[in-house]
Amino acid sequence: MPKTRQEKIADWDKEIAQIKNKQKTETQKLAKEERAARTRRLCSRHGLLESMLPEIIDITEEQYKTFLERAVTNDYGRDKLNQIIAHGEKNSTSKAPTETKSQTAIPTAKPTAADQNAANPQSGNAGGGTMV
């Protein structure tokens, strides 16, 4: 039995509702996956930082924020990050078989007085703020 135009429209409306529900479900799944990936990344990176600097475990949130601000939001920190990013781009595009581990190592610089102050936020007032 052929369907009337109204029945066809009603069927299409049902299909549209089903497709919208599928879209909503997939969007929610994507958001959940992105949150999980972010959580893994944050935990992994903070865990690495704590393993390198176990002293940060016992500091307050405000001290931790101050430490990060002083340690990485300066010219030295930004320069090092830019070097690492540039270095990573070279590794992802170059396929040279002669490249060795010693050639790809990131050189370390001797810490400056500002870096040492950043590592010990309770000494001095290098950042301009007061520690509580």
Side-chain angles (χ1 to χ4, degrees), residues 56-70 118 121-122 127-132:
I56 68 168
I57 294 170
D58 297 326
I59 65 175
T60 66
E61 293 296 315
E62 187 63 30
Q63 288 171 323
Y64 185 72
K65 179 182 176 190
T66 301
F67 165 72
L68 288 178
E69 286 172 346
R70 291 180 185 174
Q122 294 178 343
T130 59
M131 298 306 296
V132 180

Side-chain angles (χ1 to χ4, degrees), residues 1-39:
M1 195 183 314
K3 293 184 177 183
T4 66
R5 287 189 175 155
Q6 287 179 335
E7 291 171 334
K8 288 180 182 179
I9 292 171
D11 287 346
W12 291 333
D13 286 340
K14 287 179 187 176
E15 285 182 43
I16 290 170
Q18 289 174 345
I19 291 170
K20 284 183 178 181
N21 284 336
K22 286 180 184 178
Q23 181 184 25
K24 182 179 175 183
T25 301
E26 288 300 315
T27 301
Q28 289 172 342
K29 285 180 183 178
L30 179 61
K32 185 178 181 180
E33 290 171 2
E34 289 172 349
R35 281 191 308 273
R38 181 176 186 268
T39 299

Side-chain angles (χ1 to χ4, degrees), residues 30-87:
L30 179 61
K32 185 178 181 180
E33 290 171 2
E34 289 172 349
R35 281 191 308 273
R38 181 176 186 268
T39 299
R40 277 191 303 276
R41 185 178 65 250
L42 290 173
C43 291
S44 172
R45 291 179 180 184
H46 181 73
L48 179 61
L49 182 62
E50 278 189 2
S51 71
M52 294 175 150
L53 298 169
E55 302 85 12
I56 68 168
I57 294 170
D58 297 326
I59 65 175
T60 66
E61 293 296 315
E62 187 63 30
Q63 288 171 323
Y64 185 72
K65 179 182 176 190
T66 301
F67 165 72
L68 288 178
E69 286 172 346
R70 291 180 185 174
V72 298
T73 58
N74 56 47
D75 291 338
Y76 177 79
R78 295 213 182 267
D79 287 344
K80 287 299 170 188
L81 178 60
N82 289 334
Q83 288 174 4
I84 291 168
I85 290 169
H87 183 73

Side-chain angles (χ1 to χ4, degrees), residues 104-115:
T104 61
I106 298 171
T108 58
K110 186 174 183 180
T112 65
D115 296 330

